[in-house]
Amino acid sequence: MSATSPRRLHLNAFLMNAGHHDAAWRHPRTQPERVTDLRYFQELARTAERGRLDSIFFADGLALWGKVRHNALGGFEPLTLLSALASVTEHIGLIATVSTTFNEPFHTARKFASLDHISGGRAGWNIVTSGTVNEARNFGQDEHMEHGLRYERAREFVEVATRLWDSWEDDAIVLDREGGVYADTDKVREIGHRGEHFGVQGPLNVPRSPQGYPLLVQAGSSEDGKEFAAQYAEAVFTAQQTLADGQSFYKDLKSRLARYGRTEDDLRILPGICPVIGSTEHAARALEQELTDLQVPEYGLAQLSGMLGTDLTGLPLDGPLPELPAERDINGNKSRFTLVAELARRDGLTLRELIARLGGGRGHRVVAGTPEQIADQLEEWFTQGAADGFNIMAPHLPGGLEDFVDHVVPILQRRGLFRTEYTGRTLREHYGLPRPANRLAAQAAPVPQDH
Amino acid sequence: MSATSPRRLHLNAFLMNAGHHDAAWRHPRTQPERVTDLRYFQELARTAERGRLDSIFFADGLALWGKVRHNALGGFEPLTLLSALASVTEHIGLIATVSTTFNEPFHTARKFASLDHISGGRAGWNIVTSGTVNEARNFGQDEHMEHGLRYERAREFVEVATRLWDSWEDDAIVLDREGGVYADTDKVREIGHRGEHFGVQGPLNVPRSPQGYPLLVQAGSSEDGKEFAAQYAEAVFTAQQTLADGQSFYKDLKSRLARYGRTEDDLRILPGICPVIGSTEHAARALEQELTDLQVPEYGLAQLSGMLGTDLTGLPLDGPLPELPAERDINGNKSRFTLVAELARRDGLTLRELIARLGGGRGHRVVAGTPEQIADQLEEWFTQGAADGFNIMAPHLPGGLEDFVDHVVPILQRRGLFRTEYTGRTLREHYGLPRPANRLAAQAAPVPQDH
């Protein structure tokens, strides 16, 4: 971004089967019968691209989430799905979640490099450490690795991945047919990594990709998560319920960047928002109520039990939350635990009320209103130091995304807050972030003899 | 296939960057500058689909192959690439190589299930155990796992994967919006696997895919490899130099099926062939010579050293092969070692002659001739008990595949040996193979109380 161009917000469409509301699949405007239909996701991706959004994004878990009995869970794997969507889109960024706890850096670095080539520079990696013992049990482990250790592994994982992406210099392929030299092997390097968690010789078997590295995204908001984000992330998805919380998180995270030699402009912070859109405020609230009425209480209780690390089964829905453990005893998603526990305490919610409040965004902020009111909320957070953009979590799909693109985006564009055309070609360009220099090439560069 | 329909051959296009000849990238008809250009592979896939071929296929290795200095190596990762190609093709099968030695069954089963959904039932998995220590060194291992142990792991891997694919019954999703039931969880099962190499709880987080399982393909021709194929494979890619060798391999492998309760019709055998096509036999031989003349001897020696487990660097090119180790001492690709060693011995080849002979197909049969002559060769092997079809390895791309599709395929069609239109929708249907029944559902089926 040049110093004189106006600050613009960034919008990511967080896609999820029938939508983010846990009862969306029961609503007549959704199409849960299409969750394994590629064309369904092609349509969603094209809708987001029509809205000139920066990116689409898929969360991921390595076990069947929650209770599939009562929600449209399961379906495509993100890297294969986004590769398929790359073929039928031109501009929009493609962000896949991949866990550092249950993968190998060689595979992960390679697949993202491949997706980045496939898409002409539109790949992003949401780096997660995975939060549940059910995932561990699909990978030969009875217990889930401890939170701090997971982040330690994640740091080493990202170090290895970035070295692999740097293992080919940008101009390593010389393609000298006459001389019989395809690649200048002085510019293709082993990385020789031997660390605590990984041993990786390299080089990668993929040439350096259009973006150098995929956009590095992170979504954990615990202390470990924030430190990790400050060191590596270029975009952060976060859940904040109030403007004050959003401002405090924003300030906190941005202030941590300097200790890693980074500036505040090196990282984009995108709080989640679940916009329940109606042509009038009344219509929006009616839609929200309609979705709440479709909730299956057993599902909500199971979800809540998971978030709070506490079995709530059988407790009276109209009673209060029981005594909860301390955050330090939670080994899953620590920041989500704290957010939900505080929400319940602050507003004195019963279990039923808490389930209703969490139904739309699983802890992310839900805003019901007209397109104008939604736009006002986004503008407020954006201009008041709480956001560089937003993670848009449509409560129901495809309609909720279409409503956002057709009715909210034009307002943001009229206010000069959002692009009217794509000006960049890569995801990094959409987010106004530079292409990383090749660190291995820089280290290996010969010292000039004359100066 | 019904009992009265004529036996038809199956054709797989084995795609590889600039082509299978190791000097292809230096030939003016190739486009090595496009090996990370998705459109290049889209064009190749569409060419194969225009020829009504059964499938396209990518080999794979988890380290940078051979000497990238002298060949156009590296590029896309197969699962991401084939997912991207699924979006822009309609009929052709999509076969990806994935190693059981360096992957986890949960990830692998999931990605293939996802690709099978993405492509509407066109996924195939070429199951390999990986052959080189360079791959092991990218996954924290100093030594490469022993050959027999690799196959033991592969068997357990495939058992786990098939159970994961069976962990959802085909009709598990009931989508009862009114009653709030998305899936009948009596039909979504944990697999509870605890074995020597893996512990996987399941279920998979992908509903059962159009084909049930991807087509299971295998390419190792060692004793271990043949037993593995007899037990699990539905299509086998193999390298055979002579009709007699092809017949012997075919008979041997088919005879092994019965001990696993399978019939000879449950497995398709596809020897590799590198067709060097010319409008006259003279033109074909001239093209073959032109490619040989472009070979880089250092590259050929390095490739040969790898295949023979013997460092040949510095030996005189016009001299004979040195003493070689025994097959039992080879821990890489045992069957390729034996094939190459026998080829050199049988024909009394110098190193230079052997490098030339292997340049086109790395041990696969190279046939130079007119389209009619190529078709004759295919027909002979197909009708003389050496093949159910062929793995077509164009020496140069895209031209070599175009020549095959435009000139050889029509001859095969006129002779009634090959389909003129796709009659099936899935890869299994192209190969005339059934959709697997769900084994977990069969085991769990309640015993009828009345009969």
Side-chain angles (χ1 to χ4, degrees):
Chain A
M1 190 184 336
S2 81
T4 52
S5 63
R7 182 169 168 254
R8 293 270 174 86
L9 58 79
H10 301 282
L11 295 174
N12 173 71
F14 180 177
L15 302 180
M16 181 169 283
N17 285 1
H20 282 272
H21 196 286
D22 63 32
W25 71 276
R26 299 183 68 188
H27 194 276
R29 282 189 70 184
T30 63
Q31 305 170 3
E33 68 282 6
R34 298 183 71 200
V35 301
T36 52
D37 176 353
L38 178 64
R39 288 165 303 177
Y40 173 66
F41 287 99
Q42 287 180 350
E43 290 161 20
L44 292 173
R46 284 174 175 152
T47 299
E49 192 165 74
R50 175 159 59 78
R52 310 293 186 256
L53 268 57
D54 294 68
S55 46
I56 59 173
F57 157 64
F58 293 99
D60 196 45
L62 295 166
L64 193 60
W65 281 348
K67 292 182 83 70
V68 71
R69 183 164 175 81
H70 299 301
N71 199 352
L73 303 172
F76 292 115
E77 180 278 333
L79 279 168
T80 43
L81 176 56
L82 287 167
S83 299
L85 296 178
S87 290
V88 297
T89 52
E90 281 179 47
H91 297 284
I92 200 153
L94 308 163
I95 303 176
T97 298
V98 172
S99 167
T100 53
T101 300
F102 301 112
N103 281 286
E104 289 284 335
F106 192 89
H107 288 312
T108 301
R110 185 182 182 211
K111 287 188 167 71
F112 276 106
S114 189
L115 177 60
D116 203 47
H117 280 293
I118 284 170
S119 61
R122 295 186 281 137
W125 174 19
N126 178 39
I127 305 164
V128 300
T129 65
S130 299
T132 72
V133 70
N134 286 332
E135 295 174 275
R137 288 182 184 143
N138 287 328
F139 297 90
Q141 297 161 27
D142 289 329
E143 298 298 330
H144 192 39
M145 190 185 287
E146 185 273 323
H147 193 268
L149 194 60
R150 294 207 304 273
Y151 272 99
E152 189 186 296
R153 180 180 162 110
R155 283 189 292 273
E156 188 180 332
F157 196 114
V158 174
E159 286 293 339
V160 174
T162 53
R163 277 164 204 274
L164 287 170
W165 291 320
D166 286 343
S167 64
W168 293 58
E169 289 194 34
D170 286 314
D171 59 355
I173 298 175
V174 294
L175 206 50
D176 173 7
R177 278 172 151 156
E178 195 58 41
V181 177
Y182 175 73
D184 177 351
T185 40
D186 289 344
K187 296 184 175 180
V188 182
R189 295 182 178 86
E190 293 189 344
I191 66 166
H193 176 85
R194 282 179 178 256
E196 271 303 302
H197 298 272
F198 308 107
V200 182
Q201 191 64 24
L204 199 59
N205 50 358
V206 185
R208 202 159 192 265
S209 74
Q211 293 190 112
Y213 309 167
L215 183 76
L216 299 181
V217 182
Q218 200 268 354
S221 301
S222 65
E223 272 303 306
D224 288 330
K226 280 187 282 198
E227 275 309 296
F228 182 87
Q231 190 169 2
Y232 296 109
E234 299 171 292
V236 163
F237 299 146
T238 182
Q240 305 297 334
Q241 286 283 332
T242 65
L243 178 61
D245 287 350
Q247 287 167 326
S248 150
F249 178 83
Y250 187 95
K251 193 171 166 191
D252 175 11
L253 183 50
K254 293 266 180 170
S255 75
R256 294 175 192 238
L257 289 158
R259 76 181 75 156
Y260 298 101
R262 306 177 69 199
T263 74
E264 297 204 354
D265 197 42
D266 291 341
L267 171 71
R268 308 277 172 262
I269 297 177
L270 289 84
I273 178 169
C274 176
V276 185
I277 303 170
S279 53
T280 63
E281 189 176 334
H282 178 78
R285 296 215 174 279
L287 173 58
E288 189 177 23
Q289 187 60 48
E290 198 182 351
L291 286 164
T292 299
D293 292 343
L294 289 172
Q295 285 191 296
V296 180
E298 300 94 291
Y299 180 84
L301 263 189
Q303 282 282 95
L304 198 52
S305 297
M307 286 178 183
L308 295 176
T310 305
D311 184 6
L312 306 172
T313 328
L315 289 183
L317 286 171
D318 294 309
L321 272 179
E323 193 78 20
L324 296 179
E327 185 189 286
R328 66 172 174 277
D329 296 324
I330 296 295
N331 190 28
N333 184 331
K334 283 181 190 282
S335 52
R336 190 58 50 89
F337 165 84
T338 300
L339 183 148
V340 172
E342 279 179 8
L343 180 67
R345 249 191 306 257
R346 190 188 68 205
D347 297 354
L349 303 177
T350 64
L351 279 175
R352 190 189 301 278
E353 288 163 343
L354 188 55
I355 288 168
R357 198 74 82 79
L358 295 172
R362 300 178 311 284
H364 286 271
R365 192 164 64 120
V366 180
V367 178
T370 63
E372 206 72 43
Q373 288 172 320
I374 306 283
D376 289 347
Q377 286 291 318
L378 300 183
E379 181 167 2
E380 182 179 46
W381 283 49
F382 179 62
T383 55
Q384 300 300 309
D388 297 312
F390 298 91
N391 192 18
I392 305 299
M393 303 164 57
H396 58 94
L397 289 170
L401 181 63
E402 288 163 0
D403 289 347
F404 185 84
V405 160
D406 294 333
H407 302 297
V408 181
V409 166
I411 297 170
L412 298 172
Q413 289 170 329
R414 279 201 297 277
R415 295 183 190 178
L417 295 169
F418 192 61
R419 70 174 68 82
T420 52
E421 291 300 336
Y422 288 105
T423 52
R425 199 180 50 83
T426 69
L427 176 53
R428 288 181 170 278
E429 287 166 357
H430 300 337
Y431 276 92
L433 293 164
R435 184 173 190 271
N438 189 319
R439 290 185 304 165
L440 295 190
Q443 284 165 14
V447 179
Q449 295 304 304
D450 306 304
H451 55 269
Chain B
M1 192 186 333
S2 83
T4 54
S5 63
R7 183 170 167 255
R8 293 270 175 84
L9 58 80
H10 300 283
L11 295 174
N12 172 71
F14 180 176
L15 303 180
M16 181 170 284
N17 285 3
H20 283 272
H21 197 286
D22 63 31
W25 72 275
R26 300 184 67 188
H27 194 275
R29 283 189 69 185
T30 63
Q31 305 170 4
E33 68 282 6
R34 298 183 72 200
V35 302
T36 52
D37 175 354
L38 178 63
R39 288 165 304 176
Y40 173 67
F41 287 99
Q42 287 181 351
E43 290 161 20
L44 292 172
R46 284 174 175 149
T47 299
E49 192 165 76
R50 176 158 60 76
R52 310 293 186 258
L53 268 55
D54 294 68
S55 46
I56 59 173
F57 157 63
F58 292 99
D60 196 44
L62 296 166
L64 193 60
W65 281 349
K67 293 182 81 70
V68 71
R69 182 163 176 82
H70 299 301
N71 199 354
L73 303 172
F76 293 117
E77 180 278 334
L79 280 168
T80 43
L81 176 56
L82 287 167
S83 299
L85 296 178
S87 290
V88 297
T89 52
E90 281 179 47
H91 297 284
I92 200 153
L94 307 163
I95 303 177
T97 298
V98 172
S99 167
T100 54
T101 300
F102 301 112
N103 281 286
E104 289 284 335
F106 191 89
H107 288 311
T108 301
R110 185 181 182 213
K111 287 188 167 71
F112 277 106
S114 189
L115 177 60
D116 204 46
H117 280 292
I118 284 169
S119 61
R122 295 186 283 135
W125 173 20
N126 178 39
I127 305 163
V128 299
T129 64
S130 298
T132 72
V133 69
N134 286 333
E135 296 174 274
R137 287 181 185 145
N138 287 328
F139 297 91
Q141 298 160 29
D142 289 328
E143 297 298 328
H144 192 39
M145 191 183 288
E146 186 272 324
H147 193 267
L149 194 60
R150 295 207 304 273
Y151 273 99
E152 187 186 297
R153 180 179 161 111
R155 283 190 292 272
E156 188 179 332
F157 196 113
V158 174
E159 285 294 339
V160 174
T162 53
R163 277 163 205 274
L164 287 170
W165 291 320
D166 285 343
S167 64
W168 292 59
E169 289 194 36
D170 286 313
D171 59 356
I173 298 175
V174 294
L175 206 50
D176 173 8
R177 278 173 149 153
E178 195 57 41
V181 178
Y182 175 73
D184 177 352
T185 39
D186 289 343
K187 296 184 174 180
V188 182
R189 296 184 178 86
E190 293 189 346
I191 67 165
H193 176 84
R194 281 179 178 256
E196 271 304 301
H197 298 271
F198 307 107
V200 182
Q201 191 64 24
L204 199 60
N205 50 358
V206 185
R208 203 160 191 266
S209 74
Q211 293 190 112
Y213 309 166
L215 183 76
L216 300 181
V217 182
Q218 200 267 352
S221 301
S222 65
E223 272 304 305
D224 288 330
K226 281 187 282 198
E227 276 308 296
F228 182 87
Q231 190 169 2
Y232 296 108
E234 300 171 292
V236 163
F237 299 146
T238 182
Q240 306 295 333
Q241 285 283 332
T242 66
L243 177 61
D245 287 350
Q247 288 167 326
S248 151
F249 177 84
Y250 187 96
K251 193 171 165 190
D252 175 13
L253 183 50
K254 293 266 179 168
S255 75
R256 294 175 192 237
L257 289 159
R259 75 181 74 155
Y260 299 103
R262 307 177 68 199
T263 73
E264 296 204 352
D265 196 43
D266 291 341
L267 172 72
R268 308 278 172 260
I269 298 179
L270 289 83
I273 179 170
C274 176
V276 185
I277 304 170
S279 53
T280 63
E281 189 177 332
H282 178 78
R285 297 216 176 279
L287 173 59
E288 190 178 22
Q289 188 59 48
E290 198 183 349
L291 286 163
T292 300
D293 292 343
L294 290 172
Q295 285 191 295
V296 180
E298 299 94 290
Y299 180 84
L301 263 189
Q303 282 282 96
L304 198 52
S305 298
M307 287 178 182
L308 296 176
T310 305
D311 184 5
L312 306 171
T313 328
L315 289 184
L317 285 171
D318 295 309
L321 272 179
E323 193 78 19
L324 295 178
E327 185 190 286
R328 67 173 174 276
D329 296 324
I330 296 295
N331 190 29
N333 184 332
K334 283 181 190 284
S335 52
R336 191 58 50 90
F337 166 83
T338 300
L339 182 147
V340 172
E342 278 178 9
L343 179 67
R345 248 192 304 258
R346 192 188 70 204
D347 297 355
L349 303 176
T350 64
L351 279 174
R352 190 189 302 276
E353 288 163 343
L354 188 55
I355 288 169
R357 198 74 81 79
L358 295 171
R362 300 179 310 284
H364 287 270
R365 192 165 62 121
V366 179
V367 178
T370 63
E372 206 73 42
Q373 288 172 320
I374 305 283
D376 290 348
Q377 286 291 317
L378 300 183
E379 180 166 3
E380 182 180 45
W381 282 50
F382 179 62
T383 56
Q384 300 300 309
D388 297 312
F390 298 91
N391 192 18
I392 305 301
M393 303 164 56
H396 57 95
L397 288 169
L401 181 63
E402 289 163 0
D403 289 347
F404 185 85
V405 160
D406 293 334
H407 303 295
V408 181
V409 165
I411 298 170
L412 298 173
Q413 289 170 330
R414 279 201 296 277
R415 296 184 189 177
L417 295 170
F418 191 61
R419 71 174 69 82
T420 53
E421 289 301 335
Y422 289 105
T423 53
R425 198 180 50 84
T426 68
L427 176 54
R428 289 181 167 278
E429 287 165 357
H430 300 338
Y431 276 92
L433 292 164
R435 182 173 193 271
N438 189 319
R439 291 185 304 166
L440 295 189
Q443 284 165 15
V447 178
Q449 294 304 302
D450 307 302
H451 55 270

